[in-house]
Amino acid sequence: MLSSTDFTFASWELVVRVDHPNEEQQKDVTLRVSGDLHVGGVMLKLVEQINISQDWSDFALWWEQKHCWLLKTHWTLDKYGVQADAKLLFTPQHKMLRLRLPNLKMVRLRVSFSAVVFKAVSDICKILNIRRSEELSLLKPSGDYFKKKKKKDKNNKEPIIEDILNLESSPTASGSSVSPGLYSKTMTPIYDPINGTPASSTMTWFSDSPLTEQNCSILAFSQPPQSPEALADMYQPRSLVDKAKLNAGWLDSSRSLMEQGIQEDEQLLLRFKYYSFFDLNPKYDAVRINQLYEQARWAILLEEIDCTEEEMLIFAALQYHISKLSLSAETQDFTSESEVDEIEAALSNLEVTLEGGKADSLLEDITDIPKLADNLKLFRPKKLLPKAFKQYWFIFKDTSIAYFKNKELEQGEPLEKLNLRGCEVVPDVNVAGRKFGIKLLIPVADGMNEMYLRCDHENQYAQWMAACMLASKGKTMADSSYQPEVLNILSFLRMKNRNSASQVASSLENMDMNPECFVSPRCAKKHKSKQLAARILEAHQNVAQMPLVEAKLRFIQAWQSLPEFGLTYYLVRFKGSKKDDILGVSYNRLIKIDAATGIPVTTWRFTNIKQWNVNWETRQVVIEFDQNVFTAFTCLSADCKIVHEYIGGYIFLSTRSKDQNETLDEDLFHKLTGGQD
């Protein structure tokens, strides 16, 4: 029999594999340890036995069977549950990773494989000088992403050597805190607000950052357009189900890269995950604005988001304009301060729309709520009936719209009064055909109530459309963002106006354009090259005088105005249903969409959510809304944690304010997205 003293001092052999950076093969080291030895003591013994003089501060123990890091160095082996059969790896926490940015540029940098992805992305964004890292995340590309490329590679005799931007010398390599580089929380402008070049006062910072002046230009300026052949070779989703597959690979923000099976030097995509862009400012955000523009551009070109042919030509004209300015040597020159001052006023107006509006005066929000009253045409779809609009007298006040047979009956009871809070507002516009329509999908108990409004002219449409959009968010026309929204809509409509006087210019300019580079392959097939070039240059006349950064912001703004903007799709099966549906997740709502027709069935606003959680046994997301309304669904195209994190992430982003000085409550993020409570 062994005494208790023998048990206390019982020791056993622990084999640890050492991932030595200077050795090609990993080596096993055997240690004699006891269960009451803490992890820090194990690492100390290990380093002493290896007996190689180097900095081991970035090394930590990884437990292969449990798939976890042993980062709490004060915990004992017994507390962790480590026994003699444990397979431990002593490896650097920071490893190389290849990231494909939204502009499709590949960067290679050293990233923490032990920190949770939320923190790792924050460090990556500081290296790349992208503010508001909480809007981005890492996406593991699906097999479809590489599918067409592999086909093409088989036909190539010589392998394509990609130009990779190597940022291996980043400060995270040693595990130390990240140097700010060009990342600044101060109010000192670090970029020229017109062309996005680094301001001269910050040039001296480049020596501390892996972002040299040249590298910064690669990230802050648009890349040359891809050839039509390369564009056609890229994966394009053809249905909502295809789009849902693209979103299956988002990494879990609450776990580390290593815990999610990511290998050293693996390729991941860095993308804007949440379509809620806070405080876009040309003075600080040249890289962020350019990468956002590039993500929007590829979403349009690869038809990840739908738009009309008229809108496609506007996007093409802006791309062509941005491409020309980016290649021009003039945009690389630094601008005098007087020129900067002249453009700042124009950019601040545009900035209002991208921030969601800011008040010129606090009095605007406390005055009487304004109302709109005018004659509009109404149509309600009914089966087997032709589409016929009928004129009524409409009044819009607060967040409700009411209509009467005529103006004289305004003081009586309306024919119908509808509250637009939580509704879907979809533009139904064809500027060339003088069609200015608004499609409203209003949530009711058994689905969506559909109605169409038709306006007579642009100004009327802009006022009523802006009012409907604000009402859908629960805001009235007294809100400070109403007037800027009206101006945005008018600005976008005027960009769509075709300029017949530009035909002469078109014939002179179209020699230097490859129009198929600026539109989706499907759109390019519908038109002859010369005809397409002429139409793009025709649209270009409306944007030809825009500075570079403003043109990118206009592109982002036009992208934001598309009906499908900000919707991330997942294939789900709702509880009690016998068929699959599409769930659309947006910054303020969830939408149940018929997978076959693409028609919205039900909308739920985040403001009505009381609680949400995951039943990990059934892999079901359960959401409780006001008035004891429940819904539950299982995810078919992705892990249920991904959808749960999307919902919590958007609610977390809605808590941001400029007073926070860019500090984020990381604990709150994990509480809202973790799915444990």
Side-chain angles (χ1 to χ4, degrees), residues 225 320 323-324 327 505-515 517-518 533 537 540:
Y320 173 62
S323 177
K324 281 182 68 176
L327 292 171
S506 298
S507 61
L508 295 174
E509 281 193 59
N510 62 15
M511 299 305 292
D512 69 336
M513 182 202 286
N514 191 348
C517 297
F518 303 109
L537 289 166
H540 179 249

Side-chain angles (χ1 to χ4, degrees), residues 315-327:
F315 287 121
L318 282 166
Q319 286 180 72
Y320 173 62
H321 183 63
I322 291 165
S323 177
K324 281 182 68 176
L325 290 181
S326 299
L327 292 171

Side-chain angles (χ1 to χ4, degrees), residues 599-638:
I599 297 172
V601 179
T602 312
T603 296
W604 301 281
R605 310 293 292 193
F606 287 161
T607 50
N608 298 331
I609 292 180
K610 289 177 71 175
Q611 65 174 8
W612 70 101
N613 56 60
V614 177
N615 183 329
W616 293 109
E617 291 182 7
T618 60
R619 310 299 292 175
Q620 218 175 45
V621 180
V622 183
I623 307 173
E624 181 187 353
F625 300 93
D626 293 338
Q627 301 173 343
N628 294 321
V629 176
F630 288 84
T631 189
F633 55 83
T634 51
C635 303
L636 306 177
S637 62

Side-chain angles (χ1 to χ4, degrees), residues 221-277:
F221 286 102
S222 180
Q223 299 296 297
Q226 293 269 11
S227 68
E229 295 76 24
L231 194 58
D233 198 51
M234 298 174 81
Y235 177 71
Q236 296 163 58
R238 295 300 182 194
S239 65
L240 286 178
V241 175
D242 287 345
K243 292 176 183 179
K245 289 177 184 175
L246 294 176
N247 298 306
W250 288 110
L251 297 189
D252 186 339
S253 297
S254 302
R255 296 195 297 149
S256 69
L257 292 171
M258 198 92 156
E259 287 169 327
Q260 298 180 68
I262 304 302
Q263 303 296 316
E264 183 169 9
D265 218 32
E266 189 170 335
Q267 178 181 333
L268 297 176
L269 312 181
L270 179 69
R271 294 289 183 270
F272 289 88
K273 177 178 180 180
Y274 299 103
Y275 295 91
S276 178
F277 314 126

